């Protein structure tokens, strides 16, 4: 029943922006931290950003600092990842995820492609 569905991916030129959304259902969204990960072809899935259950604290990996912003709207059961100043190396499938009772639940992912 727990489900996360990403959207908002697409193709963009270097320097452009995208806003990803993660729609959650099947659990008490406001009670859990949410994270965004990404996976490029041939590489392992890596953390991008995390946000606490109430949205009061956020964390970013180095490549995302200053360019990406994670947020959430608990009334809408949705988390977001705003991505600015995109680079070709940001090309990947982006996933949102939540840990519930020691089990990590993933969305299906949304493709982000940054190229000229």
């Amino acid at each position: 029943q727990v489900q996360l569905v990403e959207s908002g991916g697409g193709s963009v030129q270097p320097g452009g922006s995208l806003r990803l959304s993660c729609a959650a259902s099947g659990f008490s969204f406001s009670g859990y931290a949410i994270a965004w990960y990404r996976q490029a072809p041939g590489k392992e899935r890596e953390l991008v950003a995390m946000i606490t259950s109430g949205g009061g604290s956020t964390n970013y990996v180095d490549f995302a600092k200053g360019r990406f912003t994670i947020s959430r709207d608990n009334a809408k059961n949705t988390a977001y990842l705003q991505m600015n100043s995109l680079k070709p190396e940001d090309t990947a499938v982006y996933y949102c995820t939540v840990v519930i009772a020691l089990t990590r639940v993933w969305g299906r992912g949304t493709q982000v492609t940054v190229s000229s």
Side-chain angles (χ1 to χ4, degrees):
Q1 291 184 325
V2 175
Q3 189 173 24
L4 302 171
V5 180
E6 302 93 337
S7 62
S11 296
V12 66
Q13 295 182 355
S17 299
L18 286 172
R19 190 194 194 203
L20 308 183
S21 297
C22 172
S25 61
F27 68 102
S28 183
F29 181 74
S30 63
Y32 293 88
I34 297 293
W36 285 93
Y37 282 69
R38 71 183 188 184
Q39 187 168 24
K43 294 189 175 181
E44 294 187 350
R45 195 168 298 184
E46 63 180 347
L47 178 69
V48 176
M50 301 175 63
I51 187 167
T52 55
S53 60
S57 182
T58 58
N59 298 94
Y60 302 90
V61 297
D62 286 344
F63 67 77
K65 292 178 180 177
R67 297 192 299 128
F68 295 2
T69 302
I70 189 170
S71 62
R72 66 193 296 162
D73 186 340
N74 285 343
K76 296 181 178 180
N77 285 359
T78 303
Y80 305 94
L81 184 68
Q82 177 69 45
M83 304 186 295
N84 300 324
S85 301
L86 284 163
K87 306 173 181 179
E89 51 262 45
D90 294 320
T91 296
V93 177
Y94 284 72
Y95 301 86
C96 61
T97 185
V98 61
V99 177
I100 303 174
L102 301 180
T103 298
R104 185 172 292 281
V105 179
W106 298 93
R108 64 188 178 187
T110 185
Q111 176 71 50
V112 171
T113 302
V114 185
S115 67
S116 299

